[in-house]
């Protein structure tokens, strides 16, 4: 029986292309940071700075969110001195549905490991909808001033605390003085949070979210003597980069290896 090596190769290539095509069908929705602040509008309160700071820690077109005294509770206009406005950032409209995600990489400074160096919190938010109204605000970010002094990454889950929402502390390892990849994905299992390429938490989609409507990038201003009387307050800048180009999923790589191995095995059998 004559073996058609070309046919086997084509079949393997088709399988690989199908797997890659399936992997690539999801869309990354995060806008490029090269044009910041174009397209970004104030959400709650404007941080001291929100700009493309250029090159930082080996990345270009890095978004810098500067938190400082201009946004302190005592320095904000009347009606904006409450804790609600301690969250300071900007929003950008996006459009996506099931399988899509928003992703960005955060540089965690070594000084952030201790709140005695200054209280820090910076987050990436999704704004979810059902085609009619806003349904949910999933959040993932870093803090050194969480409950009981928690330091690390955390996610906001609106299902916690009897539907009133709350923070879930991840306690997963992360890079210090290095970049950390974060993602929020909407799929059939719910709202999936990813840290450094690993799905680490899934929030049940209890609110009927079917789409991404916007993304918010923000920092938190702890210069609020009423709500954070013991916080060590120092200006800080959170540096965010657009996510680096992803490599194929392990399943895709395994399929690639299997397909090529089959071709090579057939070739050896033919020569024998």
């Amino acid at each position: 029986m004559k073996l058609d090596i070309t046919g086997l190769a084509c079949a393997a290539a088709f399988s690989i292309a199908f797997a890659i095509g399936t992997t690539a069908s999801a869309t990354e929705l995060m806008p490029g940071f090269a044009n910041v602040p174009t397209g970004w509008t104030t959400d709650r309160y404007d941080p001291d700075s929100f700009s493309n700071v250029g090159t930082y820690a080996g990345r270009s077109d890095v978004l810098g969110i500067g938190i400082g005294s201009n946004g302190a509770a005592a320095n904000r206009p009347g009606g904006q001195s409450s804790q609600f406005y301690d969250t300071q950032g900007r929003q950008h409209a996006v459009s996506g549905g099931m399988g899509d995600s928003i992703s960005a990489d955060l540089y965690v400074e070594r000084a952030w490991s201790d709140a005695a160096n200054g209280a820090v919190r910076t987050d990436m938010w999704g704004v979810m909808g059902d085609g009619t109204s806003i349904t949910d605000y999933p959040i993932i970010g870093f803090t050194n001033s969480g409950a009981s002094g928690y330091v690390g990454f955390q996610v906001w889950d609106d299902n916690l605390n009897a539907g009133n929402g709350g923070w879930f502390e991840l306690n997963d390892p992360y890079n210090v003085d290095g970049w950390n990849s974060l993602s929020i994905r909407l799929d059939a299992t719910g709202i999936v949070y990813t840290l450094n390429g690993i799905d680490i938490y899934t929030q049940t989609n209890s609110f009927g979210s079917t789409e991404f409507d916007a993304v918010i990038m923000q920092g938190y201003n702890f210069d609020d003597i009423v709500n954070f009387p013991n916080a060590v307050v120092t200006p800080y800048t959170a540096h965010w980069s657009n996510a680096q180009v992803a490599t194929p999923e392990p399943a895709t790589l395994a399929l690639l290896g299997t397909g090529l191995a089959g071709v090579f095995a057939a070739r050896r059998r033919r020569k024998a």
Side-chain angles (χ1 to χ4, degrees), residues 170-185:
L170 296 174
N171 288 304
D172 289 82
Y174 57 89
N175 301 316
V176 177
D177 275 348
W179 294 99
N180 293 270
S181 300
L182 309 178
S183 183
I184 301 172
R185 184 177 75 251

Side-chain angles (χ1 to χ4, degrees), residues 98-99 159 185-193 199 201-206:
M98 288 292 176
N159 295 307
R185 184 177 75 251
L186 176 64
D187 66 22
T189 64
I191 297 173
V192 183
Y193 295 94
D199 291 352
Y201 187 87
T202 299
Q203 172 189 320
T204 302
N205 188 4
S206 302

